[in-house]
Amino acid sequence: MPHEVHAVVAAKQGAPVELRTILVPDPGPGEVLVAVQACGVCHTDLHYRDGAISDEFPFLLGHEAAGVIEAVGPGVTALAPGDYVVLAWRAPCGTCRSCRRGRPWYCFDSGNATQPMTLREGTPLAPALGIGAFAEKTLVAAGQAVKVDPHARPEAAGLIGCGVMAGYGAAVHTGAVGSGDTVAVIGCGGVGNAAIAGASIAGARRVIAVDIDDRKLDGATRFGATDTVNSRGTDPVEAVRGLTGGHGADVVIDAVGRPETYRQGFYMRDLAGTLVQVGVPDPDMRIDLPLIDLFSRGGALKSSWYGDCLPSRDFPVLIDRYLSGRLDLDGFVTETIALDEVESAFDKMRDGRVLRSVVVI
């Protein structure tokens, strides 16, 4: 029998979100029902609301969540009611050509729940990133629910489901930051600070935070930045070179995703250095670089999608690092809010006043 729950819905492009009653079905084969405890407000949710990802309105927003398994469907054996989980928007299938090649983080057939959640009158909802967790309960594929240590408070734990994992993985997995490396991170929001934390944990000897906001730069030091550069009034390329013996950084992470920051990152690298783009660009953005520079500077230009993570492997590790005091997930939580405050949280996010607003249910 469907469950009637309150949830945050984006009904029309660009319109304020609404708190609605929705219907969530009991889990079918391979699905689990999750009682959501907390869910972060991510830029991706705002992109859905504004129609920047697709036009499949209405959307059920929210995807950066932690909660407890309430029920499991037929065939689900790895999870049971009462398990504490973090939700992932990638659930590798194990059988596609990428999974068979040993690269499940690139899975081309990631799983989602097959049954739709709907408005009370029956209109199907499109769940953000296949999750839809601004809701008291949500339905996901079993592979999207990753069991973690229940001692981690949900307000912090849920954040590894998207932004923290994306930034951390951009440094540790995609950028392969190693002991003694110098790293520059452009953009000190939630993803950028997670990249800073990841680089620090990986053993970087110098982590340079680059942003145009002194408040964000001050905050970046909490996550492991050793140096800061305000690029509003300073050439960040020359500043980073100046902090690295005139050479540039071994690894540069662009957590903004704009042509100007990508160009800065390209020239901010040392020769044969690595540039990782994790910030999501708008579809119409373009980059123009001299081909001779692409050839002569060498190195690697990479994009990082979800931090090249394997949720079943990485989520428990990040939670363990949080519980041991090595990863400051609490530092990402600027405020906790109720379901009916998501629209105001979007305003704060646009203005750069928060790292994360977290809905607590």
Side-chain angles (χ1 to χ4, degrees), residues 252-316:
V252 178
I253 299 168
D254 177 9
V256 178
R258 296 187 57 84
E260 57 267 35
T261 55
Y262 191 88
R263 176 181 288 274
Q264 290 168 356
F266 178 83
Y267 289 108
M268 203 179 280
R269 300 174 301 149
D270 195 356
L271 293 174
T274 298
L275 171 60
V276 177
Q277 179 188 342
V278 64
V280 180
D282 291 340
D284 60 347
M285 289 178 174
R286 299 288 185 271
I287 185 71
D288 181 23
L289 290 167
L291 193 57
I292 187 62
D293 288 352
L294 286 168
F295 172 77
S296 62
R297 294 188 63 81
L301 307 179
K302 299 182 176 183
S303 59
S304 183
W305 202 38
Y306 207 5
D308 290 347
C309 80
L310 184 58
S312 59
R313 174 195 67 190
D314 296 322
F315 285 12

Short mmCIF file of all heavy atoms in Angstrom, two decimals, residues 252-316:
data_model
loop_
_atom_site.label_atom_id
_atom_site.label_comp_id
_atom_site.label_asym_id
_atom_site.label_seq_id
_atom_site.Cartn_x
_atom_site.Cartn_y
_atom_site.Cartn_z
N VAL A 252 45.87 20.55 -10.03
CA VAL A 252 44.94 21.67 -9.89
C VAL A 252 43.53 21.12 -10.05
O VAL A 252 43.25 20.35 -10.98
CB VAL A 252 45.20 22.77 -10.95
CG1 VAL A 252 44.17 23.89 -10.80
CG2 VAL A 252 46.61 23.32 -10.82
N ILE A 253 42.64 21.52 -9.15
CA ILE A 253 41.25 21.07 -9.19
C ILE A 253 40.35 22.28 -9.40
O ILE A 253 40.33 23.19 -8.57
CB ILE A 253 40.88 20.32 -7.90
CG1 ILE A 253 41.77 19.08 -7.75
CG2 ILE A 253 39.40 19.93 -7.90
CD1 ILE A 253 41.71 18.44 -6.39
N ASP A 254 39.62 22.27 -10.50
CA ASP A 254 38.67 23.34 -10.80
C ASP A 254 37.30 22.92 -10.29
O ASP A 254 36.61 22.11 -10.91
CB ASP A 254 38.63 23.61 -12.31
CG ASP A 254 37.58 24.66 -12.69
OD1 ASP A 254 37.02 25.31 -11.79
OD2 ASP A 254 37.34 24.83 -13.91
N ALA A 255 36.91 23.49 -9.16
CA ALA A 255 35.62 23.18 -8.56
C ALA A 255 34.55 24.21 -8.92
O ALA A 255 33.48 24.22 -8.33
CB ALA A 255 35.76 23.08 -7.04
N VAL A 256 34.85 25.07 -9.89
CA VAL A 256 33.90 26.08 -10.35
C VAL A 256 33.25 25.65 -11.65
O VAL A 256 32.02 25.65 -11.79
CB VAL A 256 34.58 27.45 -10.50
CG1 VAL A 256 33.59 28.49 -11.02
CG2 VAL A 256 35.18 27.90 -9.17
N GLY A 257 34.07 25.31 -12.65
CA GLY A 257 33.53 24.85 -13.92
C GLY A 257 33.13 25.96 -14.86
O GLY A 257 32.06 25.91 -15.46
N ARG A 258 34.00 26.95 -15.00
CA ARG A 258 33.78 28.03 -15.95
C ARG A 258 35.00 28.13 -16.86
O ARG A 258 36.11 27.75 -16.46
CB ARG A 258 33.55 29.36 -15.23
CG ARG A 258 32.28 29.40 -14.39
CD ARG A 258 32.04 30.79 -13.84
NE ARG A 258 31.94 31.79 -14.90
CZ ARG A 258 30.82 32.04 -15.59
NH1 ARG A 258 29.72 31.37 -15.31
NH2 ARG A 258 30.81 32.94 -16.54
N PRO A 259 34.83 28.66 -18.08
CA PRO A 259 35.98 28.75 -18.99
C PRO A 259 37.16 29.51 -18.39
O PRO A 259 38.32 29.10 -18.56
CB PRO A 259 35.40 29.48 -20.21
CG PRO A 259 33.95 29.15 -20.19
CD PRO A 259 33.57 29.08 -18.75
N GLU A 260 36.87 30.59 -17.65
CA GLU A 260 37.98 31.37 -17.10
C GLU A 260 38.73 30.62 -16.00
O GLU A 260 39.96 30.72 -15.89
CB GLU A 260 37.49 32.73 -16.60
CG GLU A 260 36.38 32.69 -15.56
CD GLU A 260 34.99 32.76 -16.16
OE1 GLU A 260 34.77 32.22 -17.27
OE2 GLU A 260 34.10 33.36 -15.51
N THR A 261 38.00 29.86 -15.19
CA THR A 261 38.70 29.11 -14.13
C THR A 261 39.43 27.91 -14.72
O THR A 261 40.50 27.53 -14.23
CB THR A 261 37.71 28.66 -13.04
OG1 THR A 261 36.63 27.91 -13.61
CG2 THR A 261 37.16 29.86 -12.29
N TYR A 262 38.86 27.31 -15.75
CA TYR A 262 39.55 26.18 -16.39
C TYR A 262 40.86 26.65 -17.02
O TYR A 262 41.90 26.00 -16.90
CB TYR A 262 38.66 25.55 -17.46
CG TYR A 262 39.19 24.23 -17.98
CD1 TYR A 262 38.87 23.04 -17.34
CD2 TYR A 262 40.03 24.18 -19.10
CE1 TYR A 262 39.36 21.82 -17.80
CE2 TYR A 262 40.52 22.98 -19.57
CZ TYR A 262 40.19 21.80 -18.92
OH TYR A 262 40.69 20.59 -19.38
N ARG A 263 40.82 27.82 -17.68
CA ARG A 263 42.04 28.36 -18.28
C ARG A 263 43.07 28.67 -17.20
O ARG A 263 44.26 28.38 -17.36
CB ARG A 263 41.71 29.62 -19.07
CG ARG A 263 42.93 30.33 -19.67
CD ARG A 263 42.51 31.58 -20.43
NE ARG A 263 41.83 31.23 -21.67
CZ ARG A 263 42.46 30.97 -22.80
NH1 ARG A 263 43.78 31.04 -22.86
NH2 ARG A 263 41.78 30.67 -23.89
N GLN A 264 42.62 29.26 -16.09
CA GLN A 264 43.54 29.51 -14.98
C GLN A 264 44.17 28.20 -14.50
O GLN A 264 45.38 28.12 -14.28
CB GLN A 264 42.80 30.19 -13.83
CG GLN A 264 42.39 31.63 -14.10
CD GLN A 264 41.41 32.15 -13.07
OE1 GLN A 264 40.97 31.44 -12.17
NE2 GLN A 264 41.06 33.43 -13.20
N GLY A 265 43.32 27.19 -14.33
CA GLY A 265 43.83 25.91 -13.86
C GLY A 265 44.82 25.28 -14.82
O GLY A 265 45.82 24.68 -14.40
N PHE A 266 44.57 25.44 -16.11
CA PHE A 266 45.46 24.86 -17.12
C PHE A 266 46.87 25.44 -16.99
O PHE A 266 47.87 24.71 -17.05
CB PHE A 266 44.89 25.14 -18.51
CG PHE A 266 45.75 24.64 -19.64
CD1 PHE A 266 45.67 23.31 -20.03
CD2 PHE A 266 46.62 25.48 -20.31
CE1 PHE A 266 46.45 22.84 -21.08
CE2 PHE A 266 47.40 25.03 -21.36
CZ PHE A 266 47.33 23.70 -21.74
N TYR A 267 46.96 26.75 -16.81
CA TYR A 267 48.28 27.39 -16.72
C TYR A 267 48.82 27.42 -15.29
O TYR A 267 49.99 27.76 -15.09
CB TYR A 267 48.20 28.81 -17.29
CG TYR A 267 48.04 28.82 -18.79
CD1 TYR A 267 46.82 29.18 -19.37
CD2 TYR A 267 49.08 28.45 -19.63
CE1 TYR A 267 46.64 29.17 -20.75
CE2 TYR A 267 48.92 28.45 -21.01
CZ TYR A 267 47.71 28.80 -21.57
OH TYR A 267 47.56 28.79 -22.93
N MET A 268 48.00 27.08 -14.33
CA MET A 268 48.42 27.03 -12.93
C MET A 268 49.21 25.76 -12.62
O MET A 268 49.87 25.65 -11.59
CB MET A 268 47.16 27.09 -12.05
CG MET A 268 47.32 27.58 -10.66
SD MET A 268 45.71 27.60 -9.84
CE MET A 268 45.01 29.13 -10.48
N ARG A 269 49.12 24.77 -13.52
CA ARG A 269 49.84 23.50 -13.32
C ARG A 269 51.33 23.66 -13.56
O ARG A 269 51.78 24.44 -14.39
CB ARG A 269 49.36 22.45 -14.31
CG ARG A 269 47.92 22.07 -14.27
CD ARG A 269 47.63 21.13 -15.43
NE ARG A 269 47.93 21.73 -16.73
CZ ARG A 269 48.33 21.07 -17.80
NH1 ARG A 269 48.51 19.76 -17.75
NH2 ARG A 269 48.57 21.70 -18.94
N ASP A 270 52.09 22.83 -12.90
CA ASP A 270 53.48 22.63 -13.27
C ASP A 270 53.51 21.90 -14.61
O ASP A 270 52.50 21.32 -15.05
CB ASP A 270 54.18 21.78 -12.19
CG ASP A 270 55.71 21.82 -12.31
OD1 ASP A 270 56.23 22.44 -13.26
OD2 ASP A 270 56.36 21.23 -11.43
N LEU A 271 54.63 21.92 -15.31
CA LEU A 271 54.78 21.13 -16.52
C LEU A 271 54.50 19.67 -16.19
O LEU A 271 54.97 19.15 -15.17
CB LEU A 271 56.18 21.29 -17.10
CG LEU A 271 56.53 22.68 -17.65
CD1 LEU A 271 58.00 22.73 -18.05
CD2 LEU A 271 55.63 23.01 -18.84
N ALA A 272 53.72 19.01 -17.04
CA ALA A 272 53.31 17.62 -16.83
C ALA A 272 52.41 17.45 -15.62
O ALA A 272 52.22 16.34 -15.13
CB ALA A 272 54.51 16.68 -16.74
N GLY A 273 51.82 18.55 -15.15
CA GLY A 273 50.88 18.46 -14.03
C GLY A 273 49.50 18.03 -14.49
O GLY A 273 49.21 17.89 -15.68
N THR A 274 48.62 17.84 -13.52
CA THR A 274 47.27 17.34 -13.77
C THR A 274 46.24 18.41 -13.45
O THR A 274 46.32 19.06 -12.41
CB THR A 274 46.98 16.10 -12.91
OG1 THR A 274 47.90 15.06 -13.27
CG2 THR A 274 45.55 15.61 -13.10
N LEU A 275 45.28 18.59 -14.37
CA LEU A 275 44.14 19.47 -14.13
C LEU A 275 42.88 18.61 -14.07
O LEU A 275 42.61 17.83 -14.99
CB LEU A 275 44.01 20.51 -15.25
CG LEU A 275 42.73 21.35 -15.26
CD1 LEU A 275 42.58 22.15 -13.97
CD2 LEU A 275 42.70 22.29 -16.47
N VAL A 276 42.13 18.75 -12.98
CA VAL A 276 40.89 18.01 -12.79
C VAL A 276 39.73 18.99 -12.75
O VAL A 276 39.71 19.90 -11.93
CB VAL A 276 40.92 17.19 -11.48
CG1 VAL A 276 39.58 16.49 -11.27
CG2 VAL A 276 42.07 16.20 -11.48
N GLN A 277 38.76 18.78 -13.63
CA GLN A 277 37.54 19.58 -13.60
C GLN A 277 36.46 18.79 -12.89
O GLN A 277 36.05 17.71 -13.34
CB GLN A 277 37.07 19.94 -15.00
CG GLN A 277 35.78 20.76 -15.00
CD GLN A 277 35.21 20.96 -16.38
OE1 GLN A 277 35.90 20.79 -17.37
NE2 GLN A 277 33.94 21.32 -16.44
N VAL A 278 35.95 19.33 -11.78
CA VAL A 278 34.83 18.71 -11.07
C VAL A 278 33.64 19.66 -11.00
O VAL A 278 32.51 19.22 -10.83
CB VAL A 278 35.27 18.22 -9.68
CG1 VAL A 278 35.67 19.38 -8.78
CG2 VAL A 278 34.20 17.37 -9.01
N GLY A 279 33.87 20.97 -11.14
CA GLY A 279 32.77 21.92 -11.22
C GLY A 279 31.98 21.69 -12.50
O GLY A 279 32.54 21.44 -13.56
N VAL A 280 30.65 21.77 -12.41
CA VAL A 280 29.79 21.45 -13.55
C VAL A 280 29.54 22.71 -14.38
O VAL A 280 28.98 23.69 -13.88
CB VAL A 280 28.45 20.88 -13.06
CG1 VAL A 280 27.55 20.54 -14.25
CG2 VAL A 280 28.68 19.64 -12.20
N PRO A 281 29.93 22.71 -15.66
CA PRO A 281 29.71 23.89 -16.51
C PRO A 281 28.30 23.92 -17.07
O PRO A 281 27.60 22.91 -17.10
CB PRO A 281 30.73 23.69 -17.63
CG PRO A 281 30.85 22.20 -17.75
CD PRO A 281 30.67 21.64 -16.37
N ASP A 282 27.87 25.09 -17.53
CA ASP A 282 26.63 25.20 -18.29
C ASP A 282 26.84 24.60 -19.68
O ASP A 282 27.96 24.63 -20.23
CB ASP A 282 26.22 26.66 -18.43
CG ASP A 282 25.77 27.27 -17.11
OD1 ASP A 282 25.43 26.49 -16.19
OD2 ASP A 282 25.78 28.51 -16.99
N PRO A 283 25.79 24.05 -20.30
CA PRO A 283 25.95 23.37 -21.58
C PRO A 283 26.51 24.24 -22.70
O PRO A 283 27.12 23.72 -23.64
CB PRO A 283 24.53 22.91 -21.90
CG PRO A 283 23.85 22.81 -20.59
CD PRO A 283 24.43 23.91 -19.76
N ASP A 284 26.30 25.56 -22.64
CA ASP A 284 26.73 26.41 -23.73
C ASP A 284 28.15 26.95 -23.57
O ASP A 284 28.63 27.71 -24.41
CB ASP A 284 25.76 27.58 -23.92
CG ASP A 284 25.65 28.45 -22.67
OD1 ASP A 284 26.12 28.03 -21.59
OD2 ASP A 284 25.07 29.55 -22.77
N MET A 285 28.85 26.58 -22.50
CA MET A 285 30.20 27.10 -22.27
C MET A 285 31.21 26.42 -23.19
O MET A 285 31.09 25.24 -23.51
CB MET A 285 30.60 26.89 -20.81
CG MET A 285 29.85 27.78 -19.84
SD MET A 285 30.33 27.46 -18.12
CE MET A 285 29.42 28.77 -17.30
N ARG A 286 32.22 27.19 -23.61
CA ARG A 286 33.28 26.69 -24.48
C ARG A 286 34.64 27.13 -23.94
O ARG A 286 34.75 28.11 -23.22
CB ARG A 286 33.12 27.24 -25.91
CG ARG A 286 31.83 26.84 -26.60
CD ARG A 286 31.84 25.37 -26.99
NE ARG A 286 30.66 25.01 -27.76
CZ ARG A 286 29.52 24.59 -27.23
NH1 ARG A 286 29.40 24.52 -25.91
NH2 ARG A 286 28.50 24.26 -28.00
N ILE A 287 35.69 26.39 -24.31
CA ILE A 287 37.05 26.75 -23.91
C ILE A 287 37.93 26.78 -25.16
O ILE A 287 37.81 25.92 -26.04
CB ILE A 287 37.61 25.75 -22.87
CG1 ILE A 287 38.98 26.20 -22.36
CG2 ILE A 287 37.65 24.34 -23.41
CD1 ILE A 287 38.95 27.40 -21.48
N ASP A 288 38.78 27.79 -25.24
CA ASP A 288 39.69 27.95 -26.38
C ASP A 288 41.11 28.02 -25.83
O ASP A 288 41.43 28.95 -25.07
CB ASP A 288 39.33 29.21 -27.16
CG ASP A 288 40.22 29.43 -28.37
OD1 ASP A 288 40.79 28.43 -28.85
OD2 ASP A 288 40.35 30.58 -28.81
N LEU A 289 41.95 27.06 -26.19
CA LEU A 289 43.33 27.02 -25.74
C LEU A 289 44.25 26.79 -26.93
O LEU A 289 43.90 26.03 -27.86
CB LEU A 289 43.55 25.90 -24.72
CG LEU A 289 42.92 26.07 -23.34
CD1 LEU A 289 42.96 24.75 -22.57
CD2 LEU A 289 43.64 27.16 -22.55
N PRO A 290 45.44 27.41 -26.94
CA PRO A 290 46.38 27.16 -28.04
C PRO A 290 46.79 25.68 -28.07
O PRO A 290 47.20 25.12 -27.04
CB PRO A 290 47.58 28.06 -27.69
CG PRO A 290 47.03 29.09 -26.76
CD PRO A 290 45.95 28.41 -25.99
N LEU A 291 46.69 25.06 -29.21
CA LEU A 291 47.01 23.65 -29.32
C LEU A 291 48.48 23.39 -28.98
O LEU A 291 48.81 22.34 -28.41
CB LEU A 291 46.70 23.16 -30.74
CG LEU A 291 46.69 21.64 -30.95
CD1 LEU A 291 45.69 20.97 -30.01
CD2 LEU A 291 46.35 21.32 -32.40
N ILE A 292 49.34 24.34 -29.28
CA ILE A 292 50.76 24.16 -28.95
C ILE A 292 50.97 24.08 -27.45
O ILE A 292 51.85 23.36 -26.96
CB ILE A 292 51.62 25.30 -29.57
CG1 ILE A 292 53.12 25.02 -29.39
CG2 ILE A 292 51.25 26.65 -28.96
CD1 ILE A 292 53.60 23.75 -30.07
N ASP A 293 50.14 24.79 -26.69
CA ASP A 293 50.26 24.71 -25.23
C ASP A 293 49.76 23.37 -24.71
O ASP A 293 50.32 22.82 -23.75
CB ASP A 293 49.48 25.85 -24.56
CG ASP A 293 50.16 27.20 -24.74
OD1 ASP A 293 51.30 27.23 -25.24
OD2 ASP A 293 49.55 28.22 -24.36
N LEU A 294 48.69 22.85 -25.33
CA LEU A 294 48.23 21.52 -24.95
C LEU A 294 49.34 20.49 -25.17
O LEU A 294 49.54 19.58 -24.37
CB LEU A 294 47.00 21.13 -25.76
CG LEU A 294 45.68 21.81 -25.39
CD1 LEU A 294 44.64 21.53 -26.46
CD2 LEU A 294 45.19 21.32 -24.04
N PHE A 295 50.05 20.65 -26.29
CA PHE A 295 51.13 19.72 -26.62
C PHE A 295 52.35 19.92 -25.73
O PHE A 295 52.88 18.97 -25.15
CB PHE A 295 51.51 19.90 -28.09
CG PHE A 295 52.74 19.13 -28.49
CD1 PHE A 295 52.67 17.76 -28.70
CD2 PHE A 295 53.96 19.77 -28.64
CE1 PHE A 295 53.81 17.05 -29.06
CE2 PHE A 295 55.10 19.06 -28.99
CZ PHE A 295 55.02 17.70 -29.21
N SER A 296 52.79 21.16 -25.60
CA SER A 296 54.09 21.40 -24.97
C SER A 296 54.05 21.31 -23.45
O SER A 296 55.06 20.98 -22.82
CB SER A 296 54.63 22.77 -25.39
OG SER A 296 53.75 23.80 -24.97
N ARG A 297 52.91 21.61 -22.82
CA ARG A 297 52.86 21.57 -21.36
C ARG A 297 52.67 20.15 -20.83
O ARG A 297 52.97 19.88 -19.66
CB ARG A 297 51.74 22.47 -20.84
CG ARG A 297 51.96 23.95 -21.12
CD ARG A 297 50.93 24.81 -20.42
NE ARG A 297 51.01 24.68 -18.97
CZ ARG A 297 51.88 25.33 -18.21
NH1 ARG A 297 52.76 26.16 -18.76
NH2 ARG A 297 51.89 25.15 -16.90
N GLY A 298 52.18 19.23 -21.67
CA GLY A 298 52.05 17.85 -21.25
C GLY A 298 51.08 17.66 -20.11
O GLY A 298 50.18 18.46 -19.88
N GLY A 299 51.27 16.58 -19.37
CA GLY A 299 50.41 16.30 -18.24
C GLY A 299 49.07 15.72 -18.64
O GLY A 299 48.91 15.14 -19.71
N ALA A 300 48.08 15.92 -17.77
CA ALA A 300 46.78 15.29 -17.98
C ALA A 300 45.67 16.28 -17.69
O ALA A 300 45.73 17.03 -16.71
CB ALA A 300 46.63 14.06 -17.07
N LEU A 301 44.64 16.28 -18.54
CA LEU A 301 43.43 17.06 -18.34
C LEU A 301 42.30 16.06 -18.13
O LEU A 301 41.99 15.26 -19.01
CB LEU A 301 43.14 17.94 -19.56
CG LEU A 301 44.28 18.83 -20.04
CD1 LEU A 301 43.84 19.62 -21.27
CD2 LEU A 301 44.73 19.77 -18.94
N LYS A 302 41.70 16.10 -16.94
CA LYS A 302 40.70 15.09 -16.58
C LYS A 302 39.41 15.74 -16.12
O LYS A 302 39.42 16.83 -15.55
CB LYS A 302 41.23 14.20 -15.45
CG LYS A 302 42.48 13.41 -15.79
CD LYS A 302 42.88 12.54 -14.60
CE LYS A 302 44.06 11.65 -14.92
NZ LYS A 302 44.38 10.75 -13.77
N SER A 303 38.30 15.06 -16.33
CA SER A 303 37.05 15.44 -15.69
C SER A 303 36.74 14.39 -14.63
O SER A 303 37.06 13.21 -14.79
CB SER A 303 35.91 15.53 -16.71
OG SER A 303 35.73 14.29 -17.37
N SER A 304 36.14 14.82 -13.55
CA SER A 304 35.82 13.93 -12.44
C SER A 304 34.31 13.92 -12.24
O SER A 304 33.71 14.95 -11.93
CB SER A 304 36.52 14.40 -11.16
OG SER A 304 36.28 13.52 -10.09
N TRP A 305 33.71 12.77 -12.43
CA TRP A 305 32.27 12.62 -12.31
C TRP A 305 31.98 11.85 -11.03
O TRP A 305 32.30 10.67 -10.93
CB TRP A 305 31.73 11.89 -13.53
CG TRP A 305 30.28 12.12 -13.79
CD1 TRP A 305 29.60 13.29 -13.63
CD2 TRP A 305 29.34 11.16 -14.27
NE1 TRP A 305 28.28 13.12 -13.99
CE2 TRP A 305 28.10 11.83 -14.37
CE3 TRP A 305 29.43 9.82 -14.62
CZ2 TRP A 305 26.94 11.18 -14.82
CZ3 TRP A 305 28.28 9.17 -15.06
CH2 TRP A 305 27.05 9.86 -15.16
N TYR A 306 31.41 12.56 -10.05
CA TYR A 306 31.13 11.95 -8.74
C TYR A 306 32.42 11.48 -8.07
O TYR A 306 32.43 10.49 -7.34
CB TYR A 306 30.16 10.78 -8.92
CG TYR A 306 29.29 10.45 -7.72
CD1 TYR A 306 29.29 11.22 -6.56
CD2 TYR A 306 28.46 9.34 -7.76
CE1 TYR A 306 28.48 10.90 -5.49
CE2 TYR A 306 27.63 9.01 -6.70
CZ TYR A 306 27.65 9.79 -5.56
OH TYR A 306 26.84 9.47 -4.50
N GLY A 307 33.51 12.19 -8.35
CA GLY A 307 34.77 11.85 -7.71
C GLY A 307 35.31 10.49 -8.10
O GLY A 307 36.13 9.92 -7.38
N ASP A 308 34.88 9.96 -9.26
CA ASP A 308 35.30 8.62 -9.70
C ASP A 308 35.19 7.63 -8.55
O ASP A 308 36.09 6.82 -8.31
CB ASP A 308 36.72 8.65 -10.25
CG ASP A 308 36.82 9.38 -11.58
OD1 ASP A 308 35.76 9.65 -12.18
OD2 ASP A 308 37.94 9.71 -12.00
N CYS A 309 34.08 7.70 -7.83
CA CYS A 309 33.94 6.88 -6.62
C CYS A 309 33.22 5.57 -6.91
O CYS A 309 32.51 5.42 -7.90
CB CYS A 309 33.19 7.66 -5.54
SG CYS A 309 31.39 7.69 -5.72
N LEU A 310 33.41 4.63 -6.02
CA LEU A 310 32.63 3.41 -5.93
C LEU A 310 31.94 3.48 -4.58
O LEU A 310 32.56 3.25 -3.54
CB LEU A 310 33.53 2.18 -6.03
CG LEU A 310 32.85 0.81 -6.05
CD1 LEU A 310 31.87 0.71 -7.21
CD2 LEU A 310 33.89 -0.30 -6.13
N PRO A 311 30.66 3.86 -4.54
CA PRO A 311 30.01 4.14 -3.25
C PRO A 311 30.15 3.04 -2.21
O PRO A 311 30.40 3.31 -1.04
CB PRO A 311 28.55 4.38 -3.64
CG PRO A 311 28.63 4.93 -5.03
CD PRO A 311 29.75 4.16 -5.67
N SER A 312 29.97 1.78 -2.63
CA SER A 312 30.05 0.68 -1.67
C SER A 312 31.43 0.57 -1.04
O SER A 312 31.57 0.08 0.09
CB SER A 312 29.67 -0.64 -2.35
OG SER A 312 30.54 -0.91 -3.44
N ARG A 313 32.45 1.01 -1.74
CA ARG A 313 33.82 1.01 -1.21
C ARG A 313 34.13 2.27 -0.44
O ARG A 313 34.71 2.22 0.66
CB ARG A 313 34.80 0.85 -2.38
CG ARG A 313 36.27 0.97 -2.01
CD ARG A 313 37.13 1.19 -3.25
NE ARG A 313 36.87 2.48 -3.88
CZ ARG A 313 37.34 2.83 -5.08
NH1 ARG A 313 38.05 1.96 -5.78
NH2 ARG A 313 37.08 4.03 -5.58
N ASP A 314 33.73 3.43 -1.00
CA ASP A 314 34.23 4.70 -0.49
C ASP A 314 33.39 5.30 0.64
O ASP A 314 33.94 5.95 1.54
CB ASP A 314 34.33 5.71 -1.63
CG ASP A 314 35.35 5.28 -2.68
OD1 ASP A 314 36.39 4.74 -2.28
OD2 ASP A 314 35.10 5.49 -3.87
N PHE A 315 32.08 5.14 0.61
CA PHE A 315 31.25 5.76 1.65
C PHE A 315 31.64 5.28 3.05
O PHE A 315 31.82 6.10 3.96
CB PHE A 315 29.77 5.49 1.39
CG PHE A 315 29.16 6.30 0.28
CD1 PHE A 315 29.94 7.03 -0.61
CD2 PHE A 315 27.78 6.32 0.10
CE1 PHE A 315 29.38 7.76 -1.64
CE2 PHE A 315 27.20 7.06 -0.93
CZ PHE A 315 27.99 7.77 -1.80
N PRO A 316 31.77 3.96 3.28
CA PRO A 316 32.17 3.53 4.63
C PRO A 316 33.53 4.06 5.05
O PRO A 316 33.74 4.37 6.23
CB PRO A 316 32.17 2.00 4.52
CG PRO A 316 31.23 1.69 3.40
CD PRO A 316 31.44 2.80 2.41
#
